[in-house]
Amino acid sequence: MQLNDLEKRMIDGEFGEPRRLALEQQVTVGRFFDASDFVPVTQAHVMADGEAVGEAGVQMLERCAAASPGHRKVMIPTITDPRGVDPSACSWLDQPEHAPEREGRIVRAFEAMGVLLTNTCINYQVVIPPTRGEHLAMGDTGSTIYCNGVLGARSNFEGGVAAFWAGLTGRVPRYGMHLSQRRLATRHFRLEEGFRLEDLADWGALGGLIGRRMRNYFEVPLISGAGPTPGSDALKHFGAALASYGSTPMFHIEGITPDAATLDQATGGRPVEAEHLRRSDLDAFYDSFRKDGDHVDVVVFAAPQLSLYEMQLVAGLLEGRKVKEHVAVLLTAPPEVVRAAERMGLRAVIEAAGARILEGVCFYQMYAREMGEMMGWKRLLTNSAKLANIIQGYGYEPVLQPTTRCIEAAIAGRLA
């Protein structure tokens, strides 16, 4: 890789060991992906939950945080993904004893390095939305695909420690979604007439349906026939599920997303044969989560975290009602959304119904396997296709349903 003068000085150690180590690691990644050089980035979004960071990761963060102030501070605005512990709920959820201790060490290390503890995967909704053409280092797959597809910004999946390295150096290897030619559509999915998307869960299911058909990271899907312009929450669920199922960092929707005013713009003028999707395909996707029996242990609204509008939606469905005592109903949201929900009375409505709001966390990042075993949770109901996909790996039996049916099941104590 070609390095400029500043980068050569970083890798020579002139700006301290943390930055030297970071750039050395980034060069290794860049060479793997045949990057010719680095591209400056304006934001980094790092993983911050104790399960993902792990003990070795915490020790690495502590070593970096112990450097002198001039050597340890991040070079660009750097924010955090959801963490694994909400201190107000840790005991009730029976999380592992080491969880809060490890989270505290992560927090102290990040604070010493100037990282902002935003604790959210929907930073584009509650912190600051990136702008078209802005180069980023996003560490969450849902954040990455939304910033690329909906906002026209540019980022690869800078998962794990890679986004942290970007925060220290202010740059990432120039490959993948930073290159214009890699952002062009290579697959075309046309929704047939009558393919209506009526619920946030439908948008997530569509993302999962297409994601299952993707073959590698560099395939970019274009969707046509999607109907009226969807809202931010719908595209949030769509992108999060598409990224989860397909390892896909970018998408276009004809007439809606910024680089897909026409089919030709999305594909760069190359012919791409359309693959047709029918409503029956979406129904089959839902059916793939069908389970025997009607028992429900826990209903979860998370992955991605909830916006204020989603909190209002759930509060409206719960108002004046009570969930069954044996069913736990959990909502995860960023701190800013929780404060707003409190101010507007939504939290009081939700908790009066027996549901709980968890702040700054996301369900599957909360030591979900251990938590499920301790709480006796197996059958999980959700409107999030992303969560339904991921949580299977933690020993749960997920059922994917539209939002209203999730609430009705929580009230009835069983699947409808």
Side-chain angles (χ1 to χ4, degrees):
M1 289 181 68
Q2 294 182 344
L3 304 184
N4 64 25
D5 180 63
L6 177 62
E7 292 154 1
K8 289 176 182 174
R9 293 166 63 194
M10 280 190 202
I11 209 164
D12 286 342
E14 182 176 337
F15 300 101
E17 176 60 15
R19 259 180 271 281
R20 187 205 65 77
L21 176 62
L23 201 72
E24 180 181 81
Q25 297 295 316
Q26 289 183 300
V27 167
T28 301
V29 173
R31 287 174 175 161
F32 179 84
F33 285 105
D34 294 326
S36 59
D37 61 356
F38 284 104
V39 56
V41 292
T42 52
Q43 299 180 42
H45 180 220
V46 303
M47 305 298 289
D49 67 284
E51 189 171 24
V53 175
E55 180 57 28
V58 176
Q59 292 179 17
M60 182 274 293
L61 291 176
E62 290 175 331
R63 287 196 298 274
C64 291
S68 66
H71 290 172
R72 70 185 183 221
K73 294 288 186 180
V74 291
M75 291 183 68
I76 56 175
T78 302
I79 58 178
T80 57
D81 209 35
R83 292 183 18 224
V85 171
D86 175 346
S88 69
C90 186
S91 298
W92 174 73
L93 291 169
D94 234 342
Q95 289 178 295
E97 290 184 5
H98 66 79
E101 186 269 340
R102 181 180 290 175
E103 293 269 332
R105 292 166 61 196
I106 293 172
V107 168
R108 288 190 291 275
F110 275 146
E111 287 179 338
M113 291 185 281
V115 174
L116 299 170
L117 277 297
T118 52
N119 307 334
T120 180
C121 63
I122 57 170
N123 44 300
Y124 49 85
Q125 287 184 322
V126 298
V127 179
I128 187 168
T131 57
R132 189 178 186 191
E134 188 175 0
H135 290 270
L136 313 164
M138 294 287 107
D140 178 275
T141 56
S143 293
T144 303
I145 194 170
Y146 191 98
C147 292
N148 280 319
V150 180
L151 302 177
R154 299 185 172 208
S155 180
N156 288 309
F157 293 150
E158 299 288 350
V161 74
F164 174 60
W165 298 142
L168 283 172
T169 66
R171 62 208 64 234
V172 295
R174 192 193 303 271
Y175 73 96
M177 297 304 119
H178 294 286
L179 304 174
S180 297
Q181 64 269 28
R182 283 293 193 186
R183 301 169 62 85
L184 296 174
T186 60
R187 302 279 297 275
H188 178 195
F189 296 91
R190 180 177 294 282
L191 307 188
E192 295 283 276
E193 188 173 350
F195 197 128
R196 290 189 298 276
L197 297 158
E198 299 172 336
D199 188 272
L200 295 176
D202 286 352
W203 280 96
L206 178 63
L209 176 62
I210 294 174
R212 281 178 174 174
R213 300 180 182 215
M214 304 304 287
R215 295 170 296 211
N216 66 63
Y217 178 80
F218 294 106
E219 284 195 329
V220 177
L222 161 68
I223 295 87
S224 61
T229 301
S232 174
D233 286 328
L235 293 178
K236 177 177 71 174
H237 277 265
F238 172 75
L242 176 58
S244 175
Y245 284 86
S247 296
T248 302
M250 172 74 184
F251 66 88
H252 301 281
I253 302 180
E254 183 189 11
I256 294 174
T257 55
D259 297 315
T262 64
L263 293 178
D264 277 352
Q265 183 191 11
T267 64
R270 296 180 300 185
V272 179
E273 185 176 353
E275 304 168 50
H276 296 266
L277 296 177
R278 301 171 178 80
R279 175 69 206 198
S280 58
D281 295 317
L282 200 70
D283 294 338
F285 183 87
Y286 276 108
D287 286 345
S288 69
F289 290 98
R290 188 181 296 276
K291 300 291 187 301
D292 293 332
D294 60 7
H295 182 72
V296 176
D297 296 313
V298 57
V299 179
V300 180
F301 299 98
Q305 290 176 329
L306 274 65
S307 70
L308 185 59
Y309 289 175
E310 289 175 290
M311 296 285 270
Q312 184 185 39
L313 170 64
V314 173
L317 294 170
L318 286 173
E319 187 165 13
R321 310 173 78 187
K322 278 281 188 183
V323 302
K324 280 291 184 185
E325 192 171 339
H326 73 271
V327 179
V329 180
L330 306 176
L331 297 75
T332 72
E336 285 73 16
V337 168
V338 174
R339 295 288 87 74
E342 289 171 351
R343 190 174 75 249
M344 298 173 192
L346 301 175
R347 181 168 197 163
V349 172
I350 290 167
E351 293 185 342
R356 289 174 179 262
I357 295 173
L358 304 176
E359 178 178 330
V361 294
C362 196
F363 185 81
Y364 71 89
Q365 293 169 296
M366 299 176 63
Y367 302 87
R369 179 179 298 279
E370 294 90 335
M371 191 168 61
E373 290 171 353
M374 294 299 293
M375 302 295 286
W377 292 338
K378 190 77 171 178
R379 179 68 56 79
L380 181 150
L381 186 61
T382 183
N383 70 344
S384 165
K386 174 179 178 177
L387 182 61
N389 183 32
I390 292 174
I391 208 65
Q392 297 174 94
Y394 291 85
Y396 290 78
E397 296 177 353
V399 177
L400 179 66
Q401 292 280 289
T403 310
T404 302
R405 295 186 68 177
C406 289
I407 295 295
E408 294 306 317
I411 300 294
R414 55 181 171 74
L415 290 169

